[in-house]
Amino acid sequence: MGAFYYHDELPGTFTDEHNSGKPVSLEQLEKIGVFYRHFETVEEVDVVAKERNYKNRDEIVLSEATFPGGPEALQAKLEVFYKEHLHEDEEIRYILDGEGYFDVRDDNDRWIRAKLTKGDLLILPAGIYHRFTLSNSKYVRALRLFKDEPKWVALDRGTDQAESSFSRTEYLRSVSVN
Ligand code: KMT
Ligand code: NI
């Protein structure tokens, strides 16, 4: 089951839990356009994907044992995923096995951490700043669902491309009318 809380913002290894002890409700997440569901089967994921017109998906495995290039290459990949960024399209993540943390910015620019394990599904709206990391168990297998062509492009916070992107403008508009 998903667990949602404010990140403690303390220094240290980013794969640590960083639980501040301040919980976050699903209503709070919805206000910033983030949706959580728990599904036992991929068939249930398929229903959501169909409803929302998703056309593509892939499966990603992040583990020290199987990552091409080994543990160092995995660590480098994790650092990329942990850089604060946005995407131009909404996207769905569904955890098939293992666990991971998605951090999303709330409306006061504070980090909310979503700890996801097997069966958890998260919908991230286009234009929200976020980042991802494995936990200390260093293993996840997940489905990544894309509306159209897989868009791997991550626009890093602080760059003009991110700040002035259509998705960012639209995202800020959508949360301000909530
Ligand atoms: C993202 O959008 O940052 C990711 O897809 C991270 C990896 S998915 C387990
Ligand atoms: Ni991302």
Side-chain angles (χ1 to χ4, degrees):
M1 278 296 178
F4 308 94
Y5 52 83
Y6 277 101
H7 191 287
D8 61 16
E9 310 277 353
L10 295 173
T13 314
F14 58 74
T15 51
D16 286 348
E17 199 154 12
H18 289 285
N19 191 341
S20 65
K22 291 187 202 95
V24 172
S25 68
L26 294 183
E27 290 71 31
Q28 269 175 281
L29 284 177
E30 286 175 21
K31 278 194 192 134
I32 57 169
V34 174
F35 293 86
Y36 165 78
R37 301 295 303 273
H38 183 87
F39 291 134
E40 293 300 323
T41 65
V42 174
E43 284 71 38
E44 293 166 277
V45 177
D46 294 342
V47 173
V48 174
K50 204 167 176 205
E51 272 169 12
R52 301 176 85 90
N53 267 315
Y54 274 66
K55 295 185 185 65
N56 278 293
R57 67 177 68 184
D58 75 357
E59 192 178 308
I60 184 173
V61 182
L62 299 172
S63 87
E64 291 191 336
T66 63
F67 199 76
E72 294 78 24
L74 176 64
Q75 190 61 30
K77 189 72 182 170
L78 288 187
E79 276 162 32
V80 171
F81 283 146
Y82 204 62
K83 260 181 107 178
E84 183 172 358
H85 63 273
L86 61 75
H87 305 287
E88 298 273 28
D89 269 351
E90 175 190 291
E91 50 192 39
I92 297 178
R93 299 291 181 265
Y94 178 68
I95 309 296
L96 294 162
D97 199 12
E99 60 183 21
Y101 302 120
F102 275 94
D103 293 339
V104 294
R105 289 284 190 189
D106 80 353
D107 43 358
N108 290 308
D109 220 23
R110 289 190 299 163
W111 284 120
I112 292 173
R113 175 155 282 196
K115 178 181 184 178
L116 303 184
T117 56
K118 188 175 161 69
D120 291 332
L121 176 144
L122 201 67
I123 306 181
L124 295 183
I128 193 172
Y129 282 121
H130 68 277
R131 62 188 183 188
F132 171 82
T133 182
L134 290 177
S135 69
N136 284 331
S137 68
K138 295 271 172 84
Y139 168 61
V140 81
R141 193 161 64 85
L143 285 180
R144 301 189 290 188
L145 293 91
F146 304 90
K147 285 237 146 176
D148 289 301
E149 294 311 307
K151 281 189 187 154
W152 305 112
V153 184
L155 303 179
D156 287 343
R157 185 154 184 185
T159 62
D160 275 356
Q161 284 139 301
E163 300 300 332
S164 61
S165 74
F166 178 74
S167 64
R168 185 67 190 159
T169 313
E170 285 302 300
Y171 174 71
L172 290 175
R173 199 198 312 274
S174 75
V175 290
S176 71
V177 297
N178 259 333

